[in-house]
Amino acid sequence: MAGFDVPIESAEEMVSHIDGPMKDSILKLYRSALTVGKEWEPGLANVTAPALVFWGVLDPAVPIAFGEKLGPALRASQVVKLDCNHWTILERPSEVAAALEGHWIQPND
């Protein structure tokens, strides 16, 4: 978790929940893509549920530009850009919760 701003206690907690089937499915998912995400993008047009995207602007693994493209591809109500790294929910729980609550109470078009 080095470089991802995850406190050691949180990293240890996350790792404790990873079992064999989870590890296998994650590895298969990432190994299935030559360019992670590119192969999945066309399917985003099929998403019909109201969407919200939140992204860490300091994410070293997946830059904010990906999140900025993902929002319109999902017809998301907004892309919430958070001043954090890859683990937005861990790093900015209050801001993510507020964004989700705001998203959930909006009337659907």
Side-chain angles (χ1 to χ4, degrees), residues 6 8 21 32 54 70 76 105:
V6 177
I8 189 69
S32 72
F54 44 89
L70 182 62
I105 62 171

Side-chain angles (χ1 to χ4, degrees), residues 6-87:
V6 177
I8 189 69
E9 301 83 19
S10 298
E12 289 171 347
E13 174 71 18
M14 282 189 258
V15 169
S16 75
H17 296 287
I18 297 175
D19 61 7
M22 179 186 282
K23 189 186 313 181
D24 186 52
S25 65
I26 292 168
L27 289 174
K28 283 180 180 175
L29 175 66
Y30 284 115
R31 289 176 179 161
S32 72
L34 298 175
T35 54
V36 174
K38 201 73 157 165
E39 290 89 347
W40 312 325
E41 287 179 24
L44 296 177
N46 299 325
V47 173
T48 58
L52 171 72
V53 172
F54 44 89
W55 215 270
V57 297
L58 305 174
D59 188 336
V62 186
I64 187 65
F66 186 87
E68 291 170 335
K69 286 187 204 175
L70 182 62
L74 290 170
R75 293 173 306 284
S77 61
Q78 69 181 90
V79 176
V80 179
K81 299 174 190 176
L82 300 168
D83 184 28
C84 62
N85 204 309
H86 185 75
W87 304 99

